[in-house]
């Protein structure tokens, strides 16, 4: 499959956006009292609220990273095609 430069940049943008947004969201979830059984941040066992969001964040980062890597590879492939 051949991607255009525009789609390559879009995929790179998705990867960058993912790494800008999700880590900040992770901090917000960590600091949320609902994440902890005692209601105090980092005190007591983690609740399912924290675990579900941690799974969501990990999956989103994996998908975003994959999209970004594919975008970079597609961008480099378009450069190679143009120089050949």
């Amino acid at each position: 499959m051949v991607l255009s430069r525009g789609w390559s940049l879009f995929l790179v943008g998705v990867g960058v956006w993912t790494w800008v947004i999700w880590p900040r969201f992770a901090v917000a979830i960590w600091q949320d009292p609902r994440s902890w059984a005692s209601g105090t941040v980092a005190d007591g066992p983690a609740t399912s609220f924290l675990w579900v969001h941690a799974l969501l964040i990990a999956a989103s980062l994996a998908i975003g990273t994959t999209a970004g890597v594919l975008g970079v590879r597609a961008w480099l492939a378009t450069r190679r095609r143009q120089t050949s």
Side-chain angles (χ1 to χ4, degrees):
M1 172 182 240
V2 178
L3 293 177
S4 68
R5 282 187 157 202
W7 281 111
S8 300
L9 286 175
F10 174 76
L11 290 175
V12 171
V14 167
V16 170
W17 174 259
T18 298
W19 279 95
V20 168
I21 295 302
W22 286 103
R24 176 64 194 114
F25 184 67
V27 170
I29 293 299
W30 182 267
Q31 294 174 346
D32 192 317
R34 294 175 291 177
S35 296
W36 307 100
S38 68
T40 304
V41 175
D43 183 33
T47 64
S48 57
F49 177 83
L50 177 68
W51 290 113
V52 166
H53 283 88
L55 181 62
L56 172 68
I57 292 164
S60 296
L61 287 172
I63 292 167
T65 300
T66 302
V69 168
L70 290 174
V72 168
R73 291 181 68 187
W75 177 267
L76 294 175
T78 61
R79 289 182 55 201
R80 281 191 295 265
R81 278 196 318 269
Q82 289 178 350
T83 59
S84 298

